[in-house]
C-alpha cells in the first residue's frame, strides 16, 4: 500500500509511541492530584509544554493544550471575538479557503452579530498582504489566515500579514495545522498573536493539539469545567498524547531541513509526471507550496471514482469532490481559486512524506494516468469534449 494522504493524518512514529507508553501504564495519575504519583504526570505535562514552546520560539506559559486543531481554532477565534466585542469592534477578516474549523466558527459568530469578511483567494491559491491591509477596518478585531492550505498546500505570506496586523493593532491568528513540523514557523518573528497546531499532522497522536496565545492575551474558555490549563481549558489533560506530541514536534522540527529537501524533490517529480496527463492542471502555486503536497484537477472525471480505482491499486489518496466530503458541492477551496464546478469535481490530492520512495512516485504516476484514461473512456461527458460538443477548460 502507498499512503499518500498525509494531509489527512499521519502515522505515529515509533519514538512517539514509545514515549507515550509509560504514561498509560505506569504514570497514569491525574496531573491535578496532589500526591507524588500524580505529580509525575504533572511534571511530564510541564516538560512537554517547555519543549513545545522551544520548538515554536515562545514561552511555555503561552502554550495551551487542546483536543486538536479544530478546538484551537474555535478557541482562538472566540477569544478574539470576545475581546473585540468589549471594545465595540465586531468585524473579523478571514479568507474563503480556510479549514471548516475556522469557517464554521465564523459562520456561528455571524449569527451572533459579528460581521465577517472572507477575502478572495488568487488563482495561485495565495492571499496577498495588500489584500489584508486594504480590508482591515477600524472595527476589525481579528484577522485569521491559514498558514498553509490543507487541500492545495499553498503557503501564505504570514510574516508580512502579521506585521500589518501588529502595526494596525489587530489580533492575528493563523491556523498552522498543515505548516508546523513541515516548514519553519516562528511566532515572534512573524508577529503571530495566536496559532493552532495539531499533533496528528506531524506523526503525533490524534486528538491533541496546541493553541499558542501571546502573553497578555487572556484566552476565553470554550469548554467549561475544572481549572486545568490555568483555567483556560477544562478537562483532565491527555498526558500520554501531550507527551507524544512534544516528541513528535521535536522530531519533525529537528529533521525539517533534510526532510523538506527530499520530499520536495519527490513532490516535483510527481507534479511533472501527472502534468503529462492531457487536460490536467496543478492546483495552487508550484513554488509556494508545502513540500509534500500535490493537487491536480483532471477534466472529464469524477474525483470519487478516481479514488476508488486508486484504492484498488493500493493507493490512499484524497479528493475535494462531492461524495467524499458528504456534500454536493465541490471543494470550497477549489471554487475559491476559480476552478469551475465540472473541473473541481475531478480533483486529486496526493500528500507524500519522507517515507515515500521514488518507486512509489513512479507507481503513482502510472496508476493515476491509467485510471484517468480508463474513466475518461467510459464517460459520456468526455465523449462530448472529444467530439467538440463541449469545450475544454484546460489546454491539452
Ligand atoms: C486537520 C486540520 C485541522 C483540524 O485539526 P484536528 O486536530 O483534526 O481537529 C484544522 N485546520 C487544518 C488546516 C487542518 O489541516
Amino acid at each position: 500500500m502507498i499512503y499518500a494522504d498525509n494531509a489527512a493524518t499521519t502515522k505515529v512514529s515509533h519514538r512517539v509511541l514509545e514515549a507515550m507508553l509509560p504514561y498509560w501504564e505506569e504514570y497514569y495519575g491525574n496531573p491535578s492530584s496532589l500526591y507524588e504519583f500524580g505529580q509525575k504526570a504533572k511534571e511530564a505535562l510541564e516538560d512537554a509544554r517547555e519543549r513545545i514552546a522551544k520548538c515554536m520560539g515562545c514561552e511555555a506559559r503561552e502554550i495551551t493544550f487542546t483536543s486538536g486543531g479544530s478546538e484551537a481554532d474555535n478557541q482562538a477565534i472566540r477569544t478574539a471575538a470576545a475581546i473585540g466585542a468589549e471594545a465595540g469592534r465586531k468585524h473579523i477578516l478571514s479568507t474563503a479557503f480556510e479549514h471548516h474549523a475556522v469557517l464554521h466558527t465564523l459562520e456561528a459568530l455571524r449569527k451572533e452579530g459579528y460581521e465577517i469578511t472572507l477575502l478572495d483567494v488568487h488563482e495561485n491559491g495565495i492571499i496577498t498582504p495588500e489584500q489584508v491591509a486594504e480590508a482591515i477596518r477600524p472595527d476589525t478585531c481579528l484577522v485569521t489566515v491559514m498558514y498553509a492550505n490543507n487541500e492545495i498546500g499553498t503557503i501564505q505570506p504570514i510574516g508580512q500579514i502579521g506585521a500589518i496586523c501588529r502595526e494596525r493593532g489587530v489580533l492575528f491568528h493563523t491556523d498552522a495545522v498543515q505548516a508546523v513540523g513541515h516548514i519553519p514557523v516562528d511566532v515572534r518573528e512573524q508577529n503571530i498573536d495566536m496559532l493552532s497546531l495539531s499533533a496528528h499532522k506531524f506523526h503525533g497522536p490524534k486528538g491533541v493539539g496546541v493553541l499558542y496565545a501571546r502573553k497578555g492575551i487572556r484566552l476565553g474558555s470554550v469548554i467549561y469545567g475544572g481549572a486545568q490549563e490555568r483555567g483556560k481549558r477544562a478537562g483532565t489533560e491527555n498526558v500520554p498524547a501531550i507527551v507524544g506530541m512534544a516528541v513528535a514536534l521535536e522530531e519533525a522540527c529537528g529533521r525539517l531541513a533534510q526532510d523538506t529537501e527530499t520530499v520536495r524533490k519527490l513532490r516535483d517529480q510527481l507534479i511533472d509526471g501527472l502534468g503529462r496527463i492531457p487536460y490536467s492542471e496543478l492546483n495552487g502555486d508550484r513554488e509556494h507550496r508545502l513540500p509534500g503536497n500535490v493537487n491536480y484537477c483532471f477534466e472529464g472525471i469524477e474525483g470519487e471514482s478516481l479514488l476508488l480505482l486508486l484504492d484498488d491499486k493500493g493507493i490512499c489518496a484524497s479528493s475535494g469532490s462531492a461524495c467524499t466530503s458528504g456534500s454536493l458541492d465541490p471543494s470550497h477551496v477549489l471554487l475559491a481559486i476559480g476552478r469551475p464546478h465540472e473541473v473541481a469535481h475531478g480533483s486529486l490530492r496526493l500528500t507524500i512524506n519522507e517515507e515515500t520512495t521514488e518507486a512509489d512516485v513512479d507507481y503513482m504516476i502510472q496508476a493515476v494516468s491509467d485510471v484517468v484514461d480508463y474513466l475518461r473512456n467510459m464517460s459520456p461527458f468526455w465523449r462530448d469534449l472529444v467530439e467538440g460538443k463541449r469545450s475544454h477548460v484546460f489546454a491539452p
Side-chain angles (χ1 to χ4, degrees):
M1 183 194 81
I2 297 177
Y3 184 73
D5 203 13
N6 286 283
T9 196
T10 59
K11 179 169 84 177
V12 166
S13 86
H14 196 70
R15 269 197 53 209
V16 168
L17 201 57
E18 279 191 330
M20 288 194 289
L21 275 176
Y23 293 93
W24 271 306
E25 290 184 319
E26 288 168 59
Y27 313 118
Y28 55 82
N30 189 320
S32 299
S33 304
L34 289 178
Y35 41 78
E36 172 67 26
F37 183 53
Q39 288 304 301
K40 271 238 179 325
K42 175 82 180 159
E43 277 163 26
L45 198 63
E46 294 318 316
D47 178 57
R49 201 186 307 277
E50 290 279 350
R51 290 157 70 179
I52 290 168
K54 209 162 176 192
C55 294
M56 302 302 300
C58 68
E59 292 175 28
R61 62 178 163 147
E62 296 174 306
I63 297 290
T64 300
F65 296 122
T66 68
S67 67
S70 300
E71 188 189 325
D73 284 342
N74 275 259
Q75 189 169 12
I77 293 168
R78 289 250 167 223
T79 292
I83 294 171
E86 278 175 22
R89 293 159 66 177
K90 295 183 77 173
H91 174 245
I92 299 174
L93 185 58
S94 187
T95 79
F97 75 157
E98 296 296 310
H99 190 273
H100 283 133
V102 169
L103 286 179
H104 291 171
T105 304
L106 295 177
E107 203 40 57
L109 286 170
R110 191 197 299 275
K111 290 184 183 135
E112 293 168 28
Y114 288 82
E115 209 181 319
I116 314 294
T117 302
L118 299 181
L119 293 172
D120 289 334
V121 186
H122 289 274
E123 245 169 64
N124 63 357
I126 292 173
I127 297 281
T128 62
E130 292 75 28
Q131 281 179 283
V132 174
E134 275 167 29
I136 290 178
R137 314 192 316 207
D139 62 340
T140 305
C141 61
L142 171 69
V143 171
T144 173
V145 175
M146 70 196 319
Y147 206 119
N149 185 272
N150 48 302
E151 287 188 34
I152 58 175
T154 49
I155 299 167
Q156 309 306 311
I158 290 303
Q160 286 166 276
I161 296 173
I164 290 167
C165 293
R166 187 60 53 88
E167 193 191 307
R168 304 280 287 271
V170 179
L171 284 177
F172 176 47
H173 165 253
T174 183
D175 173 340
V177 174
Q178 291 289 336
V180 171
H182 299 280
I183 53 174
V185 172
D186 190 311
V187 293
R188 292 266 184 276
E189 202 172 286
Q190 295 172 305
N191 288 310
I192 297 167
D193 293 315
M194 290 186 278
L195 173 147
S196 311
L197 66 84
S198 175
H200 76 101
K201 304 289 174 76
F202 51 81
H203 301 295
K206 292 167 184 60
V208 67
V210 158
L211 173 54
Y212 152 81
R214 185 170 51 78
K215 57 184 178 238
I217 298 172
R218 241 190 52 236
L219 287 181
S221 292
V222 290
I223 295 174
Y224 296 92
Q228 291 92 350
E229 294 298 285
R230 300 149 128 236
K232 291 177 288 192
R233 201 279 184 178
T236 304
E237 299 89 343
N238 188 346
V239 179
I242 290 168
V243 168
M245 170 163 61
V247 174
L249 187 59
E250 281 178 343
E251 273 198 316
C253 294
R255 288 187 327 228
L256 200 70
Q258 134 202 13
D259 280 358
T260 299
E261 195 156 333
T262 33
V263 177
R264 195 183 279 153
K265 195 162 149 266
L266 291 172
R267 174 201 72 187
D268 288 343
Q269 284 174 19
L270 192 49
I271 289 176
D272 289 338
L274 296 180
R276 287 193 285 273
I277 298 174
Y279 302 104
S280 67
E281 244 181 52
L282 181 70
N283 292 312
D285 193 84
R286 185 174 168 140
E287 298 307 318
H288 298 103
R289 83 188 288 129
L290 290 170
N293 179 290
V294 176
N295 190 317
Y296 261 93
C297 276
F298 303 105
E299 263 188 64
I301 63 153
E302 275 294 330
E304 58 261 36
S305 318
L306 179 59
L307 290 192
L308 290 175
L309 291 173
L310 288 179
D311 188 19
D312 286 344
K313 289 177 181 283
I315 298 172
C316 303
S318 153
S319 166
S321 71
C323 298
T324 44
S325 58
S327 104
L328 281 177
D329 291 326
S331 144
H332 68 287
V333 174
L334 296 176
L335 296 181
I337 62 168
R339 294 299 191 204
H341 270 70
E342 71 264 31
V343 177
H345 275 298
S347 74
L348 174 70
R349 180 185 73 183
L350 296 166
T351 41
I352 59 171
N353 71 4
E354 65 287 346
E355 286 185 11
T356 311
T357 65
E358 250 184 90
D360 292 342
V361 168
D362 291 340
Y363 181 79
M364 286 191 280
I365 294 168
Q366 193 58 51
V368 174
S369 308
D370 291 349
V371 171
V372 168
D373 239 16
Y374 173 81
L375 288 172
R376 281 176 174 171
N377 284 333
M378 294 201 316
S379 152
F381 187 88
W382 184 251
R383 194 171 318 122
D384 285 354
L385 284 166
V386 173
E387 290 171 1
K389 290 180 193 155
R390 282 171 195 273
S391 42
H392 283 285
V393 176
F394 297 148

